[in-house]
Amino acid sequence: MTWTASAPSNIALIKYMGKEGANQSVNPSLSMTLSAFRSTVEIERRKEGPDQWQPLPGSSPLRAESTARFLEFFQKLKGEVPGSFLLRSGNNFPSDAGLASSASSFAALTLAAHTAFADIRGLPIPPAEELARISRSGSGSSCRSFFSPWCAWEGDKIGPLPSRLPDLVDLVVVVDHAHKKVSSSEAHRRVRTSPLFADRVPRAQQRMQAMRQALASGDYRATAEISWAELWDMHSLFHTSTPPFFYFAPGTLAVLRWAEDFWEKHGHGPITTIDAGPNVHLLVPAEETARFRAELKDFQILESGA
Ligand code: DP6
């Protein structure tokens, strides 16, 4: 018997950075779901043997520590369910594009495992908010993949967020393919050593409130301004940690400068953000996608709507 589930990735505009315990974020965060960037997890029940992981056909193998983390979380989800399982997973976006895959893969694993175990036990699948809370303990950002197009995560509350913004498309400018040297889990630990961390939580809380209002009233410009400030805030934490670390590549700065100049010239531009990586996410109104893609024709672009 085999069960399959898929889940989308998401991009945070207010960042989850700094955590306690089982991925309890120290501050609220907010994201747009990226429905085109998905992970799929297949779970097959077998007669015996240890639980195992394999890539889905055509997908890349995971690194050893990622496989261990994935299987460890599966053991936790499995609890007392008897039997042996073979997990297969893969992403529909390139693994070397520097896009975080833990959000979509842990969300898909949580959903696939609960689909399988609900079926085996003859019980209903838990509602999305509960699945999101469970998934959070595997990888924090994955909890925001259960609500679309916008999701807020504040403490134990994870849910949809009202927005009157136009439909947006995320244009991911891929400037570097290298595997990141500092994992986001390590970044969560290290930012606590930054002198800027002392006031990080109130700063993020204020921005969260301001961005909630900006989304609710459809204020595109305010959303872009808050997102820009938040991107520099998170990366400044990285740059001032002990030891300091950074994700920017030369192309990252080129795209940030381009975005700044675009806003200055046109009084309009993309909502810009960067995760724990070098690639730049430009969220633009869906109906202006072609215009922005033409402006960025010299770069490799991946595209997803909400
Ligand atoms: C920079 O969810 O990858 O993308 O909970 O340790 O798995 P773990 O961390 P993870 O952290 C993501 C951090 C971020 C910002 C964000 O998505 O909010």
Side-chain angles (χ1 to χ4, degrees):
M1 181 93 196
T2 301
W3 298 266
T4 306
S6 96
S9 184
N10 68 76
I11 178 70
L13 297 187
I14 304 295
K15 307 292 187 180
Y16 151 48
M17 188 40 61
K19 63 175 178 177
E20 284 153 2
N23 304 333
Q24 308 271 9
S25 181
V26 295
N27 64 271
S29 64
L30 177 163
S31 61
M32 186 176 95
T33 303
L34 303 175
S35 58
F37 303 152
R38 306 189 76 85
S39 297
T40 299
V41 173
E42 210 178 85
I43 299 183
E44 186 184 327
R45 195 175 197 184
R46 297 189 301 183
K47 287 215 166 54
E48 54 190 19
D51 295 339
Q52 278 182 330
W53 180 87
Q54 280 175 9
L56 275 170
S59 295
S60 321
L62 287 175
R63 292 150 65 95
E65 65 262 32
S66 303
T67 309
R69 189 177 162 197
F70 208 66
L71 282 171
E72 200 181 306
F73 186 54
F74 179 72
Q75 298 299 326
K76 201 174 136 188
L77 298 176
K78 188 174 153 187
E80 302 301 310
V81 174
S84 156
F85 295 87
L86 171 64
L87 310 184
R88 292 192 189 87
S89 71
N91 305 325
N92 71 349
F93 49 92
S95 58
D96 65 350
L99 287 170
S101 60
S102 74
S104 50
S105 54
F106 278 80
L109 175 57
T110 302
L111 193 55
H114 280 85
T115 307
F117 302 149
D119 199 11
I120 291 167
R121 290 162 156 161
L123 295 169
I125 299 171
E129 190 168 358
E130 197 179 328
L131 289 174
R133 268 197 297 270
I134 295 166
S135 196
R136 183 196 65 194
S137 64
S139 176
S141 55
S142 71
C143 74
R144 296 186 311 239
S145 287
F146 287 83
F147 296 95
S148 171
W150 293 94
C151 180
W153 167 20
E154 296 194 86
D156 277 338
K157 210 169 156 10
I158 305 148
L161 195 62
S163 168
R164 293 175 68 188
L165 286 181
D167 288 348
L168 301 179
V169 160
D170 184 11
L171 299 178
V172 188
V173 188
V174 182
V175 297
D176 196 296
H177 293 268
H179 186 84
K180 56 186 173 194
K181 285 199 206 124
V182 178
S183 69
S184 41
S185 295
E186 170 63 15
H188 285 292
R189 279 190 285 277
R190 235 191 263 178
V191 289
R192 290 174 162 278
T193 64
S194 163
L196 304 177
F197 192 74
D199 300 325
R200 164 67 186 157
V201 174
R203 279 199 308 276
Q205 283 170 338
Q206 271 171 14
R207 275 195 207 112
M208 182 76 180
Q209 207 183 339
M211 198 172 273
R212 264 182 188 283
Q213 278 167 13
L215 293 189
S217 62
D219 190 338
Y220 181 89
R221 191 189 181 92
T223 308
E225 283 171 2
I226 301 163
S227 181
W228 184 258
E230 175 69 359
L231 114 71
W232 289 106
D233 192 342
M234 182 177 77
H235 283 269
S236 300
L237 291 173
F238 301 157
H239 302 167
T240 53
S241 290
T242 305
F245 60 106
F246 69 99
Y247 295 101
F248 289 178
T252 313
L253 292 174
V255 177
L256 289 175
R257 180 62 78 201
W258 170 86
E260 188 180 53
D261 289 348
F262 194 95
W263 269 100
E264 268 171 31
K265 201 164 146 199
H266 302 279
H268 176 62
I271 297 167
T272 307
T273 191
I274 305 182
D275 257 344
N279 300 321
V280 186
H281 293 249
L282 303 172
L283 277 61
V284 302
E287 57 183 29
E288 293 176 49
T289 308
R291 170 191 181 190
F292 281 102
R293 286 199 76 127
E295 288 277 346
L296 296 158
K297 62 180 181 331
D298 297 334
F299 292 98
Q300 183 195 346
I301 305 280
L302 299 173
E303 178 180 327
S304 175

